Structure formats: C-alpha cells, structure tokens
Amino acid sequence: MSPTDSGRFIVTKEHRRFTEFADAVRRDRTIGLCFGPTKEHRRFTEFADAVRRDRTIGLCFGPAGVGKTLSARRYAHWDTAEPLLDDWGPRDNDAEQPINAALAQARTIVYTPYVGVTTRRLREDLHQLITRAEICIDTHLNPPPRPLTHPRPRRRRQNRIELCIVDEAERLTTSALEHLRDHYDRGEHGLILIGMPGIEKRFVRYPQLYSRVGFAHHYRPLSHDELIFVLTHHWRSLAEGLDPADFTDHQAIAAVARLTGGNFRLIERLFRQVERILEINDLTIITADVIDTAAETLVIGTT
C-alpha cells in the first residue's frame, strides 16, 4: 500500500495481487492430485513386500517430490490410521473397525522423525507408535465380546508389526541409526529407510547397518505415459477432457513435462495455479500458455 498526504494508505494493484497470492497459499494446503497406482508405486509395493517378507532392511531413495512418501503412506494405509494413532483416547470399536482392519492388513507403521530428533525421542516415539498399532491389530484379530467405552488397554500382543518405514532418514544422527539397527536386530520386522539420493552412500560408512541391507529401490519420476495417465484423471475436474491427439492438449502436456520433469509434487503445485488462472479468466481449456503463466508464480528448481 502507498502512503497518502494524510498518512493513510491506498490499495494498489500490487497489494491486490499480494492479497490474492496470500489467499491462495492459505487456502491450498491439501494435495489436489490423486496419487494413482503408477509403475513406480507398484515397484515400491513389490519392494516393501519383499522387505516385509524377508525381515530385512531396505533403502528407498529418489529426488524430492517424486512420490516416495505418498507410496509409503498408501502402502501402510497411513492416511486412515495416523489420525487414530496420534489422537489416542477412549475407544469406539464400531467406528475404529475399518482402521483396525487396515492396520491388520498392512502390518506397517510409518514414522517421520523431527528435525534434530534425539535417540531418546526416537525410541519413545517408535515404542508408542508400535504399541498403539499392535493394540489396534489385536482388537481386529481378537474382537472383544462387547463394545468398550473405557480407555484403551496398555498391554499389547507381540510381533503384530511386520514392517517399519522411516521417512526423511537423512535427519537421523549416528546414534539414532544405531538405535534403529539395534531395534531391528531385537525385533522380528523389516525396516525401510526413505531419503534423498546419496543416502545409500552415506550408509556405507556404517558397515553394521549397511551389511544388513537386503534391497535398495531407486524411486524415479513419472514417465511420459504415466504423466498422461495422471493428467487425464485430473484434467476433467478443471477443463474439458484431455485428448493427447489434439494439438492444443499435446502442447499443454509437453509444457507440463518440460516444466516438471515428471515430478509429482511439482505437477500438483503447478495445477493449483492452473486452477486459479482458469477461474480468474473464466477459461475452460488448458493450453500451453495457461501452463506457462501458472509456472511463472512458482519457484521451480532442478527436477
């Protein structure tokens, strides 16, 4: 805003643009694209099944935003289970039955360490998460004779969890990694560590941990065919249907591929802006110009 002679401020065009920008940032906090069964997700599922079956340690690494965390959460049904495990209180067996069933099917937990997490905090968080998940699984496998309204029991059955997935593993200190190795040695579960490219080289410096790694999975960006698959499902909600044979749609797809490199998170961020531009300009067709205009509002690094 610009000051006037009276000391008051007038609303400028830049202030209105900033207001629109701030409103969009405040509003768009959820993921808009549907994370579908891509080839990389199927490969991750096969990788996780192998680690879980063989009770070994696996490393999953790939660039930021390609879908590693989304695949892990989908594999573990974590979007369903996490709210219950975080907000632990009096139980409602009828309402929790689908959640308990999902945990019993996956037998998997997903843990994301805080920045600067201590070994003590890591140990307490994992113990709490596994204890709560195993109580839910045991409730599903051995349902009580009548609905319970009292607080959840503290005791749990052993070895209900078959796989622990630790996201953002580069945040872990040497002592935290040593604790994970000890926890793995003393348990009967598999362990997956997810991180950025280079994490596999870092772990070479810890031979007692690295010697236990049975599988490594390089998570790659979307291929061209998968990009079209993802865009086709999202295109319908914003504009007319996507037709790769149409020249306008072909140009738009090429613009998305050029700007994002198949990075799922970048595609999701880009289409939030595309939706805003279509709404502001009352458009129903996504063109390459719309894509380029949307990209101007983003900070896009190397993909």
Side-chain angles (χ1 to χ4, degrees):
M1 291 185 290
S2 301
T4 64
D5 293 338
S6 63
R8 291 181 295 180
F9 289 86
I10 59 175
V11 177
T12 64
K13 181 177 70 174
E14 284 302 315
H15 174 69
R16 286 195 296 270
R17 291 183 61 194
F18 179 84
T19 301
E20 294 174 359
F21 159 74
D23 287 342
V25 171
R26 184 179 63 179
R27 181 182 64 251
D28 297 338
R29 290 175 294 180
T30 57
I31 293 176
L33 287 178
C34 176
F35 184 72
T38 63
K39 181 177 68 175
E40 281 303 316
H41 176 68
R42 287 194 297 270
R43 289 183 62 203
F44 179 90
T45 299
E46 294 170 358
F47 157 74
D49 284 343
V51 172
R52 174 180 165 185
R53 180 182 62 248
D54 295 345
R55 303 292 198 272
T56 186
I57 296 178
L59 296 181
C60 175
F61 55 92
V66 293
K68 305 183 299 294
T69 300
L70 291 175
S71 279
R73 294 180 67 88
R74 182 174 179 134
Y75 180 85
H77 305 289
W78 208 238
D79 288 338
T80 300
E82 185 180 29
L84 171 65
L85 300 180
D86 283 347
D87 187 17
W88 195 251
R91 66 194 322 172
D92 181 348
N93 282 343
D94 292 336
E96 295 173 9
Q97 195 277 332
I99 303 175
N100 296 341
L103 282 169
Q105 177 185 358
R107 302 294 182 97
T108 302
I109 64 164
V110 179
Y111 175 68
T112 303
Y114 295 97
V115 175
V117 65
T118 62
T119 304
R120 178 179 178 180
R121 177 65 182 271
L122 174 69
R123 179 172 59 251
E124 292 174 350
D125 286 349
L126 283 177
H127 176 74
Q128 176 178 275
L129 201 57
I130 292 174
T131 298
R132 292 177 176 180
E134 289 188 336
I135 289 174
C136 291
I137 294 172
D138 194 58
T139 300
H140 176 73
L141 298 178
N142 303 288
R146 58 185 177 83
L148 298 180
T149 57
H150 56 74
R152 304 168 189 274
R154 293 183 178 273
R155 62 185 181 85
R156 64 184 174 93
R157 297 294 182 90
Q158 297 295 321
N159 305 325
R160 296 298 194 192
I161 295 298
E162 299 176 355
L163 179 62
C164 293
I165 301 178
V166 179
D167 198 10
E168 306 284 357
E170 53 273 300
R171 295 178 178 177
L172 299 174
T173 62
T174 301
S175 58
L177 287 171
E178 182 62 21
H179 171 72
L180 281 179
R181 182 189 67 82
D182 181 70
H183 186 264
Y184 163 78
D185 286 344
R186 296 174 185 274
E188 297 181 9
H189 61 270
L191 173 65
I192 291 179
L193 301 174
I194 298 178
M196 296 287 288
I199 192 173
E200 74 283 5
K201 298 178 182 177
R202 175 193 170 192
F203 288 161
V204 173
R205 302 197 295 268
Y206 309 106
Q208 287 191 318
L209 174 65
Y210 199 73
S211 63
R212 290 164 170 78
V213 175
F215 298 94
H217 173 59
H218 185 186
Y219 206 112
R220 295 177 173 83
L222 297 172
S223 66
H224 180 72
D225 291 340
E226 290 174 316
L227 177 62
I228 293 178
F229 173 79
V230 171
L231 293 181
T232 299
H233 283 70
H234 193 63
W235 215 272
R236 300 191 192 101
S237 64
L238 298 180
E240 299 176 359
L242 176 65
D243 181 8
D246 181 83
F247 182 71
T248 300
D249 289 352
H250 177 77
Q251 282 187 314
I253 294 171
V256 173
R258 169 173 51 83
L259 291 166
T260 66
N263 186 291
F264 194 87
R265 186 180 298 159
L266 272 180
I267 296 171
E268 182 266 330
R269 290 171 51 207
L270 178 65
F271 268 82
R272 286 180 181 171
Q273 300 304 318
V274 168
E275 182 177 9
R276 185 175 66 88
I277 290 171
L278 291 176
E279 181 180 351
I280 291 174
N281 296 279
D282 196 23
L283 300 175
T284 59
I285 298 177
I286 300 176
T287 65
D289 290 337
V290 171
I291 298 297
D292 289 333
T293 303
E296 292 177 359
T297 65
L298 300 177
V299 177
I300 300 178
T302 302
T303 58

